[in-house]
Amino acid sequence: MPMYAALAVGLGLGAVLLTLPSGDFHLEDWGSAKRLVLCVAAGVAVLVLVRLHRLLFRPLELLRSPEDVGYIAEDGRSKARAANEARRRRKVGELPPVYPNGWYRVLDSHMLGRGEVRSAYILGQQLVVFRGHDGKAYVLDSYCPHLGANLAVGGRVLGNCIECPFHGWQYRGSDGKCEKIPYSDKVPESAQVRRWPSCEVNQQVLVWFHCDGLEPQWSVPEQPEVANGQWVYRGRTEHFINCHIQEIPENGADIAHLDHLHTPGIPSGVDLRYTNSKTWEFVRHDWKVEWDPEPEPTSHCSQMRVNHSLTLFGCRLPLLDLRVVARQVGPGVVFLRFDHSFLGRGLMMHCVTPVEPLLQCVTHTMFYQRNIPAVVPKFILKGESIQFERDVMIWNNKMYISKPLLVKEDAAVRRHRRWFSQFYSQNSLRLEYRQDTLDF
């Protein structure tokens, strides 16, 4: 839409020029065709300037809907229909519990201004997120226990409370207790909505989930460069993936898939039917990866160390060598730190948040050195998005295998599953399918 607006402005400027006295611009000898060309050229010039400004200064925002990536729409079917058919026909497999215990991103801080209210649907729950006048972000269950109104739909912030849009009951963000009923002198002790433990760190609002209602067992570390403003926001990508949450972080330990799926260059695209096309085979990525869990007291963390290099026509380009350390904190937050002698340093926040049992929202939020041109981290973020969407095509169509057939080179996958199992409890929710049968 901004591009169309820019084009309209440019055409309008051109039209204004045409309405001015021709002598002002020596247009008396111009024909109508030349004047039309002038009008179009003005529109194109404004459009180019807007695109250039977005490229150089604006953060990259790439937000995909659930059916946009990872499905093959054939025979004239829409993407939405292809996605629905793939989800319906796919064999699910014997799944682990669907909601691991841990911290999960709800939204980015800049999305929630003081006094604003947002609706969030995560972990199969409808939540209301609001920022009180004290500047703190609060997360509560959405539904008012009075008569069930959704606090996120029409609710307003009063002080550090959220007011129900139906009858005006006011709930404190700090503990969820009802503080005031405008037409009653007494507030029942049981008048309360569930408060979700939350924190705001690295310019993100996160909530803690535990199936047994236990308080947070670890914290999400703050990145000093983000907190002090040395590294600034350069963009975000968002994808919705139809798979179990464990499939996504397990990718970090599946070292063998990198050489097969991610060696083709970025110009090869994301459609796995064409990524190995000979057209772009002169551009190749090379990966050296190690994955290990961390010992106590940070056993809830793991690290993947990546050394990446790029080859062009078989020649390695040392200037583009990139070292990345990906530190996973719990099941839903990963810090990817970039360190490059020429391209600078930065951080990509990789967050996986379960929306439903088999639907994950994955965001990549980029922070980078303030003194590095924005086009550099935006290029890295876009390239990462292309590589990630190749994985999405696998995840959206695969079956989870609880007892996979592994070879010795896959040992890290087995270790990762043991490590990840710590985030499940005895009471963790499982997804059970009932398969109807026909008796003859």
Side-chain angles (χ1 to χ4, degrees), residues 52-258:
L52 187 62
H53 179 270
R54 289 180 60 184
L55 176 65
L56 295 178
F57 303 107
R58 294 282 299 277
L60 173 66
E61 300 280 352
L62 182 62
L63 312 179
R64 303 292 199 189
S65 62
E67 68 274 6
D68 277 347
V69 180
Y71 298 104
I72 298 175
E74 295 179 319
D75 303 324
R77 294 177 298 172
S78 66
K79 287 185 177 180
R81 181 180 173 187
N84 288 332
E85 289 179 354
R87 287 194 291 263
R88 188 175 65 250
R89 296 170 180 173
R90 182 180 61 176
K91 200 174 205 179
V92 174
E94 185 180 343
L95 298 172
V98 291
Y99 299 142
N101 304 320
W103 288 100
Y104 296 103
R105 172 192 171 275
V106 181
L107 47 77
D108 291 346
S109 296
H110 71 264
M111 300 176 179
L112 190 69
R114 192 183 299 265
E116 289 186 350
V117 181
R118 295 289 299 267
S119 176
Y121 184 74
I122 66 171
L123 297 156
Q125 301 291 322
Q126 191 74 51
L127 308 180
V128 58
V129 189
F130 67 96
R131 192 179 297 282
H133 291 288
D134 61 358
K136 294 182 179 179
Y138 298 102
V139 184
L140 304 175
D141 274 353
S142 265
Y143 297 110
C144 177
H146 177 215
L147 286 174
N150 190 328
L151 301 175
V153 182
R156 61 174 181 161
V157 178
L158 297 176
N160 299 319
C161 297
I162 180 78
E163 182 189 61
C164 176
F166 202 7
H167 297 90
W169 291 31
Q170 297 175 20
Y171 297 93
R172 291 197 299 256
S174 58
D175 57 11
K177 285 185 174 294
C178 182
E179 189 173 83
K180 181 181 178 181
I181 300 176
Y183 54 87
S184 177
D185 296 331
K186 185 177 181 181
V187 177
E189 285 293 328
S190 60
Q192 183 175 6
V193 293
R194 177 187 177 188
R195 177 194 69 87
W196 287 65
S198 62
C199 69
E200 190 164 9
V201 62
N202 303 317
Q203 299 185 24
Q204 294 183 334
V205 178
L206 303 100
V207 295
W208 169 264
F209 169 81
H210 196 285
C211 64
D212 298 318
L214 300 182
E215 288 297 308
Q217 298 171 349
W218 67 83
S219 60
V220 178
E222 182 179 67
Q223 300 300 300
E225 298 90 346
V226 175
N228 62 26
Q230 292 181 20
W231 295 354
V232 295
Y233 174 76
R234 292 304 190 192
R236 172 175 65 98
T237 66
E238 179 179 270
H239 296 83
F240 289 89
I241 304 171
N242 289 282
C243 71
H244 188 278
I245 181 175
Q246 186 175 313
E247 301 268 26
I248 298 171
E250 188 172 288
N251 226 38
D254 183 7
I255 298 170
H257 94 282
L258 291 168

Side-chain angles (χ1 to χ4, degrees), residues 286-421:
D286 184 60
W287 310 89
K288 303 297 181 186
V289 181
E290 295 178 347
W291 179 90
D292 290 293
E294 294 185 9
E296 291 286 359
T298 57
S299 58
H300 59 279
C301 300
S302 67
Q303 288 196 26
M304 180 177 69
R305 295 168 295 279
V306 181
N307 288 305
H308 165 268
S309 60
L310 183 70
T311 60
L312 194 63
F313 296 104
C315 298
R316 176 169 157 263
L317 304 178
L319 189 62
L320 296 180
D321 285 355
L322 190 62
R323 181 176 180 271
V324 181
V325 177
R327 186 175 191 240
Q328 178 153 0
V329 181
V333 179
V334 182
F335 298 85
L336 292 95
R337 294 181 65 97
F338 298 87
D339 191 355
H340 194 277
S341 57
F342 176 70
L343 299 178
R345 300 168 63 234
L347 170 73
M348 186 184 297
M349 295 289 300
H350 166 100
C351 297
V352 185
T353 301
V355 180
E356 297 173 351
L358 294 180
L359 181 63
Q360 318 301 324
C361 176
V362 180
T363 58
H364 294 88
T365 306
M366 175 68 86
F367 299 96
Y368 219 79
Q369 281 182 247
R370 184 185 294 273
N371 61 340
I372 297 294
V375 68
V376 172
K378 288 170 66 175
F379 176 79
I380 296 174
L381 184 59
K382 178 62 177 178
E384 188 280 337
S385 175
I386 291 174
Q387 292 284 11
F388 185 75
E389 288 181 4
R390 295 179 186 177
D391 290 302
V392 173
M393 196 168 187
I394 297 291
W395 290 323
N396 278 355
N397 297 278
K398 78 183 294 293
M399 166 183 149
Y400 181 84
I401 298 181
S402 58
K403 297 178 181 179
L405 179 61
L406 303 176
V407 296
K408 67 177 182 179
E409 289 80 6
D410 297 321
V413 174
R414 185 178 291 108
R415 290 192 295 125
H416 185 277
R417 291 197 173 189
R418 285 199 301 267
W419 173 80
F420 200 87
S421 65

